[in-house]
Amino acid sequence: MLMSYFHRKPEGLIPLSQASNEKSSIQWRTELPLCAMPPWEVKWAEAFDKIVLIGNGSEDVHRTEVLRALNGAIVALVEVETFSSDWSSMQADHEDDYLGGTSIPYIQGTGPPPPASSRCVGYALIRGVRASTGVLHILTPVSPVDLKRVRVIVMGEIRLPIQGMLDHRPRARVLGHIAGVDYANVPFLYWNTGLPGTPGSKKLRVRRNLMRKSQMER
C-alpha cells in the first residue's frame, strides 16, 4: 500500500476540496522506480514554517542532525489553518553557523500541530537533502493545488521499505546499478556479506553428528 501510494501520478489527483463532489481519476506511474522519478525541489526556509519530528527518540535529534534524520524519510504534509498561541510561539533560532548560512525551521522537542486546526493532506518521501543550498528533493502524489498550502512537515515512525530504494528495471539489474549508480557507490545500502571475522558473516556449518540425550545409547 505504501509503495503504490508514491507511484500515483499527481496529474491524476484532484484537490481535496473537490474530492467529495468529483470522482478522482487515479493514474499510476510504475515504469520508473522511486529513485529515478523527477522530484520537487523545495527550499525549506521558504516553503515551511515548521519541521516537526515525533515518535520514539525524536526529542533527542539536535538541530545540527535533523537533515540527516529527514534524508530518506517519509513525512506528513500538514496544512495548519490557525496556529495556536502556545504552538506558534515556539520559534526556531536562526543560527546560521550550519547549513551553509541557511536557517531551518526546526526546534528540538516540538510537539505535533494541534489536531483541531490542522489536517494532513498527504505524504511525501524526502529522497534527498542538499544542505548547501537549503533544498529538499521531495516525491509526493499530492496535487500542486494542495501542496502549496502545506506549511508544516511532520516526520514520524513510518519508514520506506527496502524495496523502495531499489531499481526494478531489468537493465539496472543486469548492469548492477541503481538509477545509473553502481552498487558499490549507492549510499545507505550495503551489498557485501561483511568484513572477514565479523560474527555471522559466514554460512553456518551443519553438523549431523550431534544427538539428543534420548538418542544416545546408555
Side-chain angles (χ1 to χ4, degrees), residues 3-32:
M3 289 290 296
S4 62
Y5 175 83
F6 288 109
H7 282 280
R8 296 177 69 177
K9 285 187 177 181
E11 299 83 6
L13 297 179
I14 62 174
L16 291 179
S17 59
Q18 304 176 18
S20 58
N21 300 325
E22 299 182 18
K23 184 178 180 180
S24 176
S25 177
I26 299 177
Q27 300 178 11
W28 306 94
R29 178 174 54 184
T30 58
E31 67 277 5
L32 291 177

Side-chain angles (χ1 to χ4, degrees), residues 35-52:
C35 59
M37 291 184 182
W40 293 97
E41 288 192 352
V42 179
K43 290 188 176 182
W44 62 70
E46 300 176 5
F48 305 123
D49 294 326
K50 284 184 181 294
I51 296 176
V52 180

Side-chain angles (χ1 to χ4, degrees), residues 60-198:
D60 296 327
V61 179
H62 190 263
R63 178 176 176 270
T64 57
E65 300 292 332
V66 65
L67 292 184
R68 293 185 176 91
L70 290 174
N71 196 7
I74 293 177
V75 298
L77 304 173
V78 180
E79 175 188 2
V80 180
E81 298 176 357
T82 56
F83 285 81
S84 66
S85 58
D86 295 336
W87 199 71
S88 61
S89 62
M90 301 179 65
Q91 299 294 331
D93 54 342
H94 296 291
E95 299 177 0
D96 293 336
D97 56 347
Y98 182 65
L99 311 178
T102 303
S103 60
I104 184 169
Y106 168 75
I107 303 177
Q108 185 176 351
T110 302
S117 58
S118 63
R119 66 170 180 169
C120 175
V121 302
Y123 296 94
L125 169 64
I126 300 181
R127 204 182 65 184
V129 176
R130 186 172 297 175
S132 60
T133 57
V135 170
L136 300 177
H137 289 181
I138 292 179
L139 293 178
T140 181
V142 176
S143 66
V145 176
D146 293 317
L147 193 59
K148 67 180 182 181
R149 296 200 300 266
V150 173
R151 299 298 303 175
V152 177
I153 59 174
V154 180
M155 173 185 165
E157 297 185 356
I158 301 177
R159 298 291 182 265
L160 182 70
I162 188 65
Q163 292 83 357
M165 302 180 183
L166 304 179
D167 194 337
H168 58 71
R169 293 173 292 185
R171 180 175 176 81
R173 295 181 179 180
V174 173
L175 298 178
H177 63 62
I178 295 180
V181 180
D182 188 77
Y183 282 165
N185 299 321
V186 175
F188 310 118
L189 296 177
Y190 190 68
W191 306 96
N192 295 329
T193 57
L195 298 176
T198 302

